[in-house]
Amino acid sequence: MAVAFTFPGQGSQAVGMGKDLADSFPEARRVFQEVDDALGENLSKLIWEGPEEALTLTANAQPALMAVSLAAIRALESRGFSLKDKVAYVAGHSLGEYSALAAAGFVSVGDAARLLRIRGNAMQAAVPPGEGAMAAIIGLEQADVEAACAEAAKGSVCQVANDNGGGQLVISGAKAAVELAARLCTEKGAKRALMLQVSAPFHSALMTPAAEIMRDALAEVAKVAPVVPIVSNVTVTPTSDPDEISRRLVEQVVARVRWRETVEWFGANGVTALYEIGAGKVLSGLARRINRDIATASVGSSAEVETARAALVLSDAI
């Protein structure tokens, strides 16, 4: 029975997330203090008290979600859990890769927070407001979505940004092209084509300036091989090589998040249980739609920490 830990991406944030962990575990509270110290501000107050519109800003949501995920990991570790001994792979959805890598020791919590603040600001600044867009396409084959993107681009940028599984694809690029592609997808039979309320066209070629900034930022931080291999969003293959991981994190800014393929890879390589570490249950829901043979669980509260401990630490089955 192999276990993989997954870490959520932007969109899973909610005011109050992680407060229960910080109140219940000193080790979790220290994570939030590390993040506050690294950023030179009281991000914890924003996470726990809001306002929601400030927490949702990309530059805040990214380090905030990482902080909650690492707080959950530290809480588990305080109860006798060892990532190295109990988990075969880690993976994260977009920014969640940084959470996964911090959990596995690739970078420190403080450096992860600083990198995600840089990443959030760089992604926001890469495209002027109003010039980019994203849309969720539900219930249409990937080939048809890709064809619609190609038809709509016409020398501009329009591409699949997220393959989330369960018939859900997200497209990203120049606003006019994405709007046209969404209409074309509806004409091709999509159940829904919904424009998303996002601040930038993430995971598209328009993010190239942000990718260059991340290349420089990653070169400045200390990195070591993670204690558990990470399955990359870009390649859907496991790696523990620090140089390769850094390259993939740069590529990831402009590349597709291949989440459906990631869950399928887990199923094909002996993973029987996926634990979603941090805020929300988005990845657990996606995993159930992709492969119902893989058990799922969430670890984002003190009660869920104790449930996971019973399964991962106390059980003889693992």
Side-chain angles (χ1 to χ4, degrees), residues 68-113:
V68 176
S69 290
L70 267 293
I73 287 289
R74 297 292 180 260
L76 264 175
E77 289 174 341
S78 76
R79 302 292 281 139
F81 168 78
S82 166
L83 188 77
K84 180 179 179 180
D85 294 338
K86 296 294 185 179
V87 175
Y89 307 101
V90 295
H93 192 287
S94 190
L95 81 90
E97 286 201 319
Y98 288 80
S99 306
L101 288 164
F106 174 73
V107 291
S108 70
V109 170
D111 280 340

Side-chain angles (χ1 to χ4, degrees), residues 133-137 169-172 178 182 193-196:
M134 300 181 76
I137 311 298
L169 295 160
V170 176
I171 61 175
S172 181
V178 170
L194 177 67
M195 298 302 294
L196 300 179

Side-chain angles (χ1 to χ4, degrees), residues 171-213:
I171 61 175
S172 181
K175 183 178 180 183
V178 170
E179 289 174 340
L180 175 56
R183 291 196 297 272
L184 292 171
C185 286
T186 300
E187 293 171 5
K188 290 175 181 289
K191 293 179 181 177
R192 293 189 71 190
L194 177 67
M195 298 302 294
L196 300 179
Q197 297 300 312
V198 295
S199 55
F202 304 130
H203 297 290
S204 77
L206 295 177
M207 292 287 106
T208 298
E212 296 303 320
I213 289 171

